[in-house]
Amino acid sequence: MKLPKNISAIIFDLDGTLLDSLDAWADSDKIFLAEQNIPYDPIISEKLKTMHFVSAAQFFIDELGVKEPLEKVMARINEIIEHKYCHEVAAKPFVREYMEQCAKKGIAMCAATSNLKTLAASALKNNGLDGFTEFLLTSDEVGSGKDNPDIFYICAERLGALPENTAVFEDSLHAAETAAKAGFFTVGVFDSHYAAEFDRLKSVCNMTVKSFGELLE
């Protein structure tokens, strides 16, 4: 399976796309709530996974009754998740090989994430992927989430490519929908956390893969 020949740039999402990292967030939710003596329910992580970091921390306070100030909640969650991103989060199979293949073809690459920049940068570096990306851009830096196409437009401009010549790799339906509506070539990447949405992802994206191995030549 190949990208169209007109694709000269790629914008990669990180969590659930390049990185097998979504379990890390659910595990961090469990650890943090256990410290607060609050029962954990998987539905909590489902609600949190599309939120920005600050919004997620506020959710613990507003909806789950955490009695700590926002700054302290953010600091502790960041401490837990930072350890996981620095020591446990791994790249998905064949990601490195595919990025090497793209680099040899002269395709410009970057990463765009709703995650914190420190966490994203650590995971890219620890998995040896940072050398393939020209830059890393976060939703916080842009000022909007992936329900808004600004992050994709800015990435494409910095990569020197038009949307129609840029592929966006995403595992989440809402982000893929945003990129598709904005005129980007979209590649849906399967992640078990979004398995129930994969059929809908197929209908939104130009192509989908269950593994980066399908893209190797």
Side-chain angles (χ1 to χ4, degrees):
M1 193 179 298
K2 297 180 181 179
L3 295 179
K5 292 182 178 180
N6 69 303
I7 297 300
S8 61
I10 297 176
I11 302 168
F12 289 110
D13 171 57
L14 287 184
D15 295 294
T17 300
L18 292 185
L19 304 175
D20 190 8
S21 56
L22 295 180
D23 279 336
W25 288 95
D27 289 345
S28 297
D29 297 339
K30 292 177 189 176
I31 293 169
F32 177 74
L33 290 176
E35 293 175 349
Q36 299 291 321
N37 295 312
I38 295 174
Y40 172 79
D41 187 315
I43 293 174
I44 293 170
S45 294
E46 283 295 311
K47 291 180 178 179
L48 294 175
K49 68 184 182 182
T50 59
M51 294 184 187
H52 293 298
F53 184 71
V54 177
S55 299
Q58 191 66 52
F59 178 88
F60 284 116
I61 297 170
D62 295 342
E63 303 296 331
L64 300 179
V66 171
K67 302 301 183 183
E68 303 285 355
L70 179 62
E71 292 75 15
K72 192 169 182 179
V73 173
M74 291 171 62
R76 179 56 186 143
I77 295 172
N78 188 60
E79 187 177 62
I80 297 168
I81 199 70
E82 189 172 56
H83 180 271
K84 289 186 173 293
Y85 270 76
C86 288
H87 302 286
E88 299 176 20
V89 168
K92 286 189 168 183
F94 304 109
V95 160
R96 182 181 177 85
E97 291 87 343
Y98 181 63
M99 294 180 82
E100 286 177 343
Q101 176 177 290
C102 291
K104 288 177 181 177
K105 291 184 175 182
I107 296 175
M109 293 173 278
C110 74
T113 182
S114 297
N115 203 340
L116 293 175
K117 191 156 195 171
T118 53
L119 300 181
S122 292
L124 282 173
K125 183 177 181 180
N126 291 342
N127 285 283
L129 305 180
D130 56 326
F132 298 113
T133 52
E134 295 192 13
F135 59 88
L136 165 65
L137 187 65
T138 70
S139 294
D140 287 339
E141 292 174 304
V142 174
S144 60
K146 289 185 176 179
D147 53 347
N148 183 304
D150 285 353
I151 191 167
F152 301 120
Y153 286 138
I154 293 170
C155 284
E157 183 178 6
R158 288 181 61 179
L159 291 172
L162 295 171
E164 57 264 34
N165 302 126
T166 305
V168 173
F169 282 63
E170 285 281 355
D171 65 307
S172 62
L173 180 63
H174 82 282
E177 286 178 328
T178 299
K181 289 177 182 177
F184 291 85
F185 184 90
T186 50
V187 182
V189 179
F190 177 82
D191 188 89
S192 59
H193 290 79
Y194 292 115
E197 297 180 354
F198 194 59
D199 283 341
R200 291 179 65 195
L201 192 66
K202 288 180 180 179
S203 70
V204 167
C205 295
N206 298 102
M207 61 187 285
T208 55
V209 296
K210 288 196 170 182
S211 166
F212 277 83
E214 298 170 37
L215 297 165
L216 298 179
E217 297 172 7

